Amino acid sequence: MKNLNLNIPLSIISVGVMLFLFAPSGLFSSYTIQEISVAGLLVELLGIIIGSIMFYRHKVTEISLEEM
């Protein structure tokens, strides 16, 4: 139980960062830029929450296995 696979949360965070950074590129109207930027921030937050839950579950499992 020494490996912690955070590929999925990091992928979610990277998608949020790309949405946030590519929104003001000029391809969209100004109203849509705000919507896409907020969506990017929300996706990043979701990735951080999922990563935190996975890390917490990993630590709890690791501690409970050490007690056995």
Side-chain angles (χ1 to χ4, degrees):
M1 193 75 197
K2 296 193 185 244
N3 294 344
L4 178 60
N5 190 3
L6 292 176
N7 290 336
I8 294 172
L10 290 177
S11 298
I12 294 171
I13 292 171
S14 64
V15 167
V17 168
M18 286 190 293
L19 279 173
F20 183 74
L21 292 178
F22 290 143
S25 65
L27 299 173
F28 310 105
S29 67
S30 62
Y31 179 72
T32 310
I33 289 173
Q34 293 173 353
E35 295 285 325
I36 293 174
S37 296
V38 170
L41 290 175
L42 290 175
V43 169
E44 288 177 44
L45 181 63
L46 178 68
I48 291 170
I49 290 171
I50 291 173
S52 300
I53 290 171
M54 289 178 69
F55 182 75
Y56 177 73
R57 284 185 57 202
H58 175 74
K59 287 298 179 184
V60 166
T61 305
E62 194 175 78
I63 289 171
S64 65
L65 286 176
E66 286 178 0
E67 291 177 356
M68 292 179 140

